[in-house]
Amino acid sequence: MSNKIYKPKSISGFPEWLPEVRLVEQQWFDHIRRVFESYGYCNIETPSVEELDVLRAKGEVDKEIYVIDRLHKEEGDKEGRLALHFDQTVPFARYTAQHFNDLVFPFKRYQMQRVWRGERPQAGRFREFYQCDIDVINVDNLPISFDAEMPAVMWEILTALPGMQDEKIQIRISNRKVLLGYIESLNVSENIAAQILAIIDKIEKIGAIETSKQLNELLKNNPLHALMVDNILSLTQTNDLKSVQPENEQMKEGLHELITVMDRLKHLPEGAVVADLSIVRGLDYYTGTVYETVFLDDPNYGSICSGGRYDDLAGSYINKHLPGVGISIGFSRLFARMVDKQKLDLKAKTPAQVLVVIPSEEQQVAAAETAQILRKNGHKVELYHAAQKLGKQLGYAEKKGIPFVWFVPSEKDGMHQLKDMYNRDIPNKDFKDPSEWKANA
RNA sequence: GCGACUGUAGCUCAGCGGUAGAGCCCUCGGUUGUGGUCCGAGUUGUCGCGGGUUCGAACCCCGUCAGUCGCCCCA
């Protein structure tokens, strides 16, 4: 055995939490799971790794993918290269294609797992993080109503998460067919079109004036550039979808879909969900509706809940047409912000609700028996580990944030006592029998 | 991948050329069946790493690694 001590340090971008934070994180997962299931989504879990070729099936992927290797891999070993998945949508599409015959469609599933991206970490940006996804995939046709269900479910979750009550968030929705259709009508090269999208994507960050400047610079060789820039800006900033004149069939279809989705979200509070044609959402597999969600007081923190519709992602793995739509909570990004802003209730460092103390050696057995009875009655119980001074035992309960302390009787035929640690003024409750104490009473 | 800034005790930081410090935390005591306050005592360091300048470097210089924040990209 070596005595060498490796100084412990956290690896940047790979978050880990203290017990009191983890407890709240688990509550968040419970809450999210409950709402997902209330809409009938079933859970699946896919492996952390996929074959690299599966992850790249949709062509070039910009995302930084971690590949994994065996330490003792021999030269010439013929194995598919394995890689950690960078999202849950691609593995889900593979899963759906693979188990096509055993699934019932429309297939509604949720997934809450870690994903990995080798990007440079920053506030709210990790290399290992949780996503909570819901997706629906159907055969041949997927009703547009699902495009409206996605943000509705997420709004319900996000506004009710413990600690999120005061946060002002907004889900923004667009349809890529609108902007892509419009840009197609401009007859510019593919390269220029991509650059236009990249500039529009930053509109909130850099402002309309800077956007206009950059677009003019980009398009300056086109004789109509002033008009084009004006039109792009007014399109991406419009508040009235119905007044937009479609330039072609694709744009018309996108507008119609977007208007339909917005119509079906009218039951949500004013400003919860808005149509925003400047949403670009990268350049990967989305083909129609796209979502992103921001904190209104800090939109640059990044999206905490994004997704969209993909017409043919599963088609990379099976010769069928399997359109889908999905949305994903950037769980770790969202959670880390609430931790940083101290919005979480971190009193408890343990799930234990009651600490059974051991006032003296003689009571050790009685204390252990009592703890067992309380557990059988549904309480979460920790038994103190030694017959030490009571002040020390109470201090322990306090430090761990255990709300109740239990005293076994000090004499034959005496009463059990329950002490409330948070409300010192409340007198101790007496019980003849530990079973008289009901959980949550 | 590019740029800026920062690395000193478990944590937050002071010291900026002359023997390494404070607060918090932790441990014990004041308090042998009822905690949080207060008081006293105590433990804690390759000053990120390597090289250079200097009689002397935590401090100045070079390199390197790590972290934070921007850019890019994204949850």
Side-chain angles (χ1 to χ4, degrees):
Chain A
M1 275 251 269
S2 163
N3 286 325
K4 165 94 178 154
I5 292 177
Y6 290 92
K7 190 171 181 177
K9 59 179 181 193
S10 52
I11 303 173
S12 175
F14 291 78
E16 65 181 4
W17 306 115
L18 289 171
E20 57 269 34
V21 180
R22 175 62 173 167
L23 272 168
V24 179
E25 189 178 40
Q26 294 286 55
Q27 289 168 16
W28 275 39
F29 283 127
D30 291 345
H31 169 75
I32 294 168
R33 177 187 306 278
R34 216 177 300 124
V35 178
F36 282 169
E37 293 190 352
S38 79
Y39 282 81
Y41 290 83
C42 66
N43 184 243
I44 64 165
E45 189 162 270
T46 63
S48 301
V49 295
E50 298 279 347
E51 283 186 21
L52 187 57
D53 290 340
V54 167
L55 296 182
R56 286 202 296 214
K58 223 26 195 177
E60 84 298 344
V61 180
D62 294 338
K63 301 192 172 62
E64 290 281 351
I65 298 175
Y66 280 109
V67 296
I68 64 172
D69 235 332
R70 282 165 45 224
L71 194 55
H72 296 295
K73 185 169 180 173
E74 308 258 324
E75 193 104 6
D77 274 2
K78 284 279 181 218
E79 292 178 347
R81 280 183 95 191
L82 299 181
L84 294 167
H85 57 230
F86 56 82
D87 74 0
Q88 297 183 124
T89 311
V90 170
F92 171 58
R94 189 227 84 217
Y95 179 99
T96 304
Q98 188 170 329
H99 301 288
F100 181 79
N101 285 325
D102 300 311
L103 298 173
V104 179
F105 292 90
F107 181 42
K108 303 178 72 174
R109 80 87 178 81
Y110 74 94
Q111 236 170 307
M112 307 199 292
Q113 292 179 229
R114 285 181 163 131
V115 304
W116 294 266
R117 291 181 196 175
E119 297 159 353
R120 238 189 138 58
Q122 253 168 63
R125 196 168 86 177
F126 302 101
R127 296 197 279 202
E128 175 180 76
F129 56 99
Y130 281 103
Q131 286 190 319
C132 303
D133 285 40
I134 46 174
D135 284 84
V136 186
I137 285 184
N138 200 22
V139 186
D140 292 331
N141 277 300
L142 182 68
I144 192 82
S145 58
F146 285 116
D147 296 55
E149 180 166 295
M150 298 295 135
V153 173
M154 289 309 185
W155 180 259
E156 184 174 334
I157 288 172
L158 293 172
T159 51
L161 279 168
M164 283 286 290
Q165 289 74 18
D166 300 333
E167 298 297 323
K168 301 243 180 315
I169 58 168
Q170 184 172 66
I171 301 176
R172 297 170 177 175
I173 306 181
S174 184
N175 191 302
R176 303 195 73 197
K177 290 174 192 169
V178 181
L179 204 53
L180 293 180
Y182 179 71
I183 288 174
E184 196 179 294
S185 77
L186 297 179
N187 280 316
V188 294
S189 72
E190 211 168 291
N191 178 30
I192 296 285
Q195 288 185 64
I196 293 174
L197 287 172
I199 293 170
I200 291 170
D201 195 32
K202 287 187 288 189
I203 196 165
E204 175 150 31
K205 189 177 254 183
I206 63 180
I209 294 167
E210 179 65 21
T211 305
S212 160
K213 214 169 105 187
Q214 293 189 11
L215 286 174
N216 271 308
E217 175 64 23
L218 177 67
L219 299 170
K220 65 185 172 194
N221 294 328
N222 190 311
L224 295 172
H225 75 268
L227 181 63
M228 285 161 72
V229 171
D230 271 2
N231 286 342
I232 293 171
L233 278 175
S234 74
L235 175 66
T236 54
Q237 297 191 299
T238 184
N239 292 318
D240 182 10
L241 296 175
K242 287 173 181 149
S243 71
V244 176
Q245 288 302 314
E247 299 285 336
N248 51 31
E249 202 48 38
Q250 186 184 15
M251 203 176 158
K252 186 176 168 187
E253 199 175 302
L255 281 166
H256 175 69
E257 288 177 8
L258 184 53
I259 289 167
T260 306
V261 169
M262 292 309 295
D263 260 1
R264 297 193 182 203
L265 290 168
K266 278 197 173 133
H267 59 286
L268 294 179
E270 180 78 27
V273 175
V274 297
D276 181 343
L277 290 175
S278 72
I279 302 297
V280 175
R281 212 82 295 276
L283 295 165
D284 24 22
Y285 40 70
Y286 298 122
T287 51
T289 307
V290 284
Y291 318 96
E292 70 179 40
T293 309
V294 293
F295 288 102
L296 282 174
D297 61 359
D298 188 8
N300 290 336
Y301 185 69
S303 175
I304 50 158
C305 185
S306 309
R309 178 180 271 251
Y310 39 92
D311 261 338
D312 206 23
L313 192 48
S316 307
Y317 314 105
I318 191 172
N319 187 22
K320 296 197 184 294
H321 184 218
L322 299 173
V325 64
I327 191 166
S328 172
I329 300 175
F331 183 98
S332 302
R333 171 176 286 180
L334 180 60
F335 187 71
R337 183 180 169 92
M338 293 301 109
V339 174
D340 283 349
K341 290 183 81 180
Q342 302 184 311
K343 288 293 181 73
L344 306 178
D345 178 9
L346 300 180
K347 252 187 300 197
K349 296 183 194 301
T350 164
Q353 289 292 300
V354 56
L355 178 74
V356 177
V357 292
I358 306 177
S360 68
E361 297 284 356
E362 296 74 52
Q363 285 156 297
Q364 189 136 19
V365 173
E369 286 170 359
T370 300
Q372 202 52 24
I373 292 169
L374 292 171
R375 289 185 190 116
K376 286 208 168 109
N377 289 335
H379 301 287
K380 294 171 181 167
V381 184
E382 178 168 350
L383 176 65
Y384 196 74
H385 51 274
Q388 291 178 336
K389 283 195 300 191
L390 266 183
K392 210 171 156 69
Q393 301 194 47
L394 292 175
Y396 178 79
E398 210 232 312
K399 266 196 292 187
K400 278 189 110 169
I402 303 175
F404 295 103
V405 167
W406 190 281
F407 298 89
V408 295
S410 54
E411 54 205 37
K412 198 172 180 327
D413 297 329
M415 299 290 274
H416 291 263
Q417 283 199 325
L418 181 67
K419 179 182 179 64
D420 188 323
M421 295 296 289
Y422 291 157
N423 305 292
R424 309 187 77 187
D425 305 336
I426 297 180
N428 292 355
K429 287 186 185 136
D430 290 343
F431 297 101
K432 186 78 201 155
D433 178 339
S435 292
E436 290 166 19
W437 187 46
K438 301 295 177 219
N440 305 319

